[in-house]
Amino acid sequence: RIRVSLALLAGTVAAGGLIAWLYAHFQRRRREERAREQLNRWCEQGPAKEPVVECAVPVEHGLDRAEPEMDAVEVPVGPGAAEP
């Protein structure tokens, strides 16, 4: 009787874990799909309308141990950003 109860408990715990994993997996997949759709909507009007991230990059490397001079660069984050 104890073995049956333990087996039933183990099965219930395993099923609960599987359900939790499936829920998290599909939620993540849904979030990624919504983000992809949002980027596509932003970029429908061409690359001038796609979102960008502004990054600071060194212009010169400060060979004399001085602080390097920095400049701002806009990096596109849309779906066509990886294309050459």
Side-chain angles (χ1 to χ4, degrees), residues 8-82:
L8 184 60
L9 177 64
T12 303
V13 169
L18 180 61
I19 289 170
W21 181 83
L22 284 171
Y23 176 79
H25 173 74
F26 285 113
Q27 287 295 321
R28 181 177 59 243
R29 193 168 161 194
R30 195 168 132 216
R31 277 193 313 271
E32 290 171 357
E33 186 176 319
R34 280 190 298 199
R36 200 173 315 112
E37 288 172 359
Q38 180 66 46
L39 276 175
N40 287 334
R41 281 193 301 272
W42 278 336
C43 299
E44 283 175 349
Q45 299 173 2
K49 299 292 184 183
E50 73 181 325
V52 294
V53 174
E54 197 168 294
C55 302
V57 294
V59 176
E60 57 182 49
H61 300 287
L63 296 175
D64 58 355
R65 300 204 190 277
E67 281 291 314
E69 190 176 321
M70 304 296 274
D71 194 11
V73 177
E74 289 183 347
V75 180
V77 294

